[in-house]
Amino acid sequence: MLFLENIKMAIDSIFSNVLRSILTMLGIIIGVAAVITILAVGNGATEEITDTFADVGATTVTLSASDSEDEISGDAITLDDLDVLRESIDEIDYISPLVRTNGQVNIEDGPDKTVMMEAGNLDTQQTSQTMSSQIIAGRYYNEQELENAAEVVVIDADLAQAAFNRTDVVGENLRIVTDSTPLDLLIIGVTEGMYEDLQGEFDTAELPSFVSIPYTTLDNLLPQQTGIEEVHILVNDTDEISSVSQQAVRLLELRHDAVDSNIYNAQNFLNALDQVNGVLDLFIQFIAAVAGIALLVGGIGVMNIMLVSVTERTREIGTRKALGATTNMILVQFLIEAVLLSVIGGLIGLLIGAGLSSILGSALNIVPQITFGNVSAVLIFSIAIGVFFGIYPAKRAADLNPIDALRYE
């Protein structure tokens, strides 16, 4: 009952001078609003990055050989290696080589267009980000074209528009010059452009386009450029990524007599995601900690106003003590008032932070994430600020001599 009476007295004291109370809470309001905004937007950005990684293939494993002289030493990854990996590891859904080379396409009435040519197998459509774009005309190359090294190509809409001023170009011939060698290829498919979202922001004519041809075709036309740089493996279950990575590296080492040589490496998006999230979390926590300094400033404001309150209410304290109030009662009364100032400021800051994070999230196209843990932590910290900075004024009020307090003018 006495505790509830102290809360009522504290509320009455706070609302007896609303303007002063608001100014006292201002530092805490700003601090909490800043921390909540940063955490909410930061969590939203982390979620957005996680979703992006999932979209680009969270179940993808990338194999590579680190030996720069791998073609000479016999450590280069081969198509036969891919067949063995596919047959030996049941968890593999798709596996494809990654071979890239640059080229140029002559554009009438304009500068030549740079193209990134990617050579692969039938699985490349599922494992490659450039190949996995939506087909808007035609199709991808098929098994027969792969076996026969057919001189066919799948291009993106950016290149189709630049070279032919239209995107429905299936059946047209395209000449790509790479390493001073002209390649005359038949267009069998067109994918979505890679830079649709960049229209108006960049000169897309200066950006490279992407094309894809069968690996056997590149091997037939430019055998000196068909060294497999990487192998992309798509696993059917994220829980199997670590196991598949270890098995793939072990098989390659056994096939190339390179056990424990550390020549072959396996990386996956989940590892990269953990690293990115770790850096983001560290950055977000640092910025939140800097913003939290405002909470400490707010705490000093609470202590100052409570000291003023003790001075203004000296006679009241003396009267209460004369009527039997103990030192602890006075201590609790002023401590509750300090905590209430901090908590009310924290709640106001929380509401403002939620509004600011929503506005900022809309501007950045991010969905802010306000978690229960973040809200709880901020409110607990606000209470701690109230206790820490309120204990001295409360102790000073409690230690007043009742006779001296009654004589105070």
Side-chain angles (χ1 to χ4, degrees):
M1 194 68 181
L2 184 59
F3 182 76
L4 294 177
E5 184 65 24
N6 282 330
I7 292 179
K8 183 179 180 300
M9 291 176 63
I11 293 174
D12 290 341
S13 176
I14 291 172
F15 284 96
S16 64
N17 196 329
V18 176
L19 180 60
R20 186 173 74 177
S21 298
I22 291 175
L23 292 175
T24 301
M25 296 183 290
L26 192 58
I28 292 176
I29 292 172
I30 294 174
V32 170
V35 171
I36 286 295
T37 301
I38 291 169
L39 291 177
V41 174
N43 290 337
T46 302
E47 185 73 19
E48 187 76 17
I49 291 173
T50 301
D51 291 342
T52 300
F53 267 82
D55 290 339
V56 301
T59 57
T60 298
V61 176
T62 301
L63 292 176
S64 61
S66 60
D67 187 355
S68 61
E69 301 295 331
D70 49 16
E71 292 190 37
I72 299 176
S73 65
D75 294 325
I77 301 174
T78 66
L79 291 181
D80 289 338
D81 290 332
L82 271 63
D83 292 336
V84 171
L85 290 173
R86 186 197 303 275
E87 294 171 1
S88 303
I89 304 176
D90 295 334
E91 292 80 9
I92 292 179
D93 274 349
Y94 302 100
I95 182 169
S96 68
L98 176 63
V99 180
R100 288 197 181 113
T101 186
N102 297 331
Q104 297 287 327
V105 173
N106 180 259
I107 305 296
E108 293 184 11
D109 303 324
D112 289 351
K113 185 75 171 177
T114 300
V115 296
M116 296 290 294
M117 185 185 301
E118 183 173 318
N121 58 12
L122 298 181
D123 286 356
T124 303
Q125 180 179 344
Q126 281 74 35
T127 61
S128 168
Q129 289 308 299
T130 56
M131 280 285 284
S132 63
S133 299
Q134 182 69 37
I135 278 279
I136 59 175
R139 59 176 176 80
Y140 290 105
Y141 49 81
N142 56 34
E143 185 174 0
Q144 183 178 3
E145 289 164 337
L146 181 65
E147 291 179 354
N148 296 333
E151 296 180 4
V152 295
V153 64
V154 179
I155 70 174
D156 64 19
D158 299 318
L159 178 57
Q161 194 65 44
F164 301 96
N165 290 320
R166 53 191 173 89
T167 56
D168 187 8
V169 294
V170 174
E172 298 283 353
N173 291 311
L174 181 71
R175 169 168 287 192
I176 301 176
V177 179
T178 177
D179 198 20
S180 301
T181 302
L183 308 180
D184 293 312
L185 305 170
L186 176 67
I187 299 173
I188 61 170
V190 180
T191 66
E192 290 179 338
M194 298 288 290
Y195 307 117
E196 291 181 1
D197 295 337
L198 301 180
Q199 295 291 339
E201 298 183 30
F202 295 92
D203 183 3
T204 54
E206 299 295 328
L207 298 174
S209 288
F210 295 88
V211 304
S212 183
I213 66 174
Y215 176 87
T216 51
T217 303
L218 186 65
D219 189 37
N220 185 47
L221 298 174
L222 296 169
Q224 72 276 13
Q225 296 190 23
T226 53
I228 297 176
E229 304 165 10
E230 294 178 350
V231 173
H232 289 173
I233 298 174
L234 199 61
V235 182
N236 52 35
D237 188 349
T238 54
D239 294 334
E240 302 295 336
I241 282 183
S242 178
S243 173
V244 170
S245 299
Q246 295 174 8
Q247 291 181 66
V249 169
R250 181 65 175 173
L251 279 172
L252 288 175
E253 289 179 342
L254 290 173
R255 283 181 55 79
H256 292 268
D257 193 22
V259 176
D260 297 329
S261 63
N262 295 323
I263 290 176
Y264 301 103
N265 303 294
Q267 297 181 341
N268 62 74
F269 283 109
L270 292 183
N271 290 338
L273 180 59
D274 289 341
Q275 294 175 4
V276 171
N277 282 342
V279 173
L280 271 178
D281 288 343
L282 185 62
F283 180 73
I284 292 169
Q285 290 171 13
F286 172 75
I287 298 299
V290 172
I293 293 175
L295 284 172
L296 297 178
V297 175
I300 295 173
V302 170
M303 182 174 66
N304 286 338
I305 204 64
M306 290 304 299
L307 288 173
V308 171
S309 180
V310 168
T311 301
E312 291 178 344
R313 295 159 63 186
T314 300
R315 289 180 63 85
E316 174 193 328
I317 295 169
T319 301
R320 290 198 66 198
K321 281 199 166 188
L323 294 174
T326 65
T327 298
N328 285 338
M329 290 179 183
I330 302 298
L331 178 69
V332 170
Q333 175 191 347
F334 281 87
L335 194 57
I336 288 175
E337 188 171 328
V339 171
L340 275 180
L341 279 170
S342 297
V343 170
I344 294 172
L347 290 173
I348 296 173
L350 180 60
L351 294 175
I352 294 175
L356 287 175
S357 62
S358 180
I359 295 171
L360 190 57
S362 297
L364 298 176
N365 199 24
I366 292 173
V367 179
Q369 304 285 334
I370 301 179
T371 66
F372 177 77
N374 290 339
V375 173
S376 300
V378 168
L379 292 180
I380 290 173
F381 193 60
S382 297
I383 294 173
I385 288 289
V387 172
F388 182 79
F389 287 99
I391 192 72
Y392 174 70
K395 184 75 166 56
R396 183 170 176 178
D399 289 342
L400 283 175
N401 185 289
I403 297 177
D404 293 336
L406 288 171
R407 291 175 177 174
Y408 182 80
E409 294 293 339

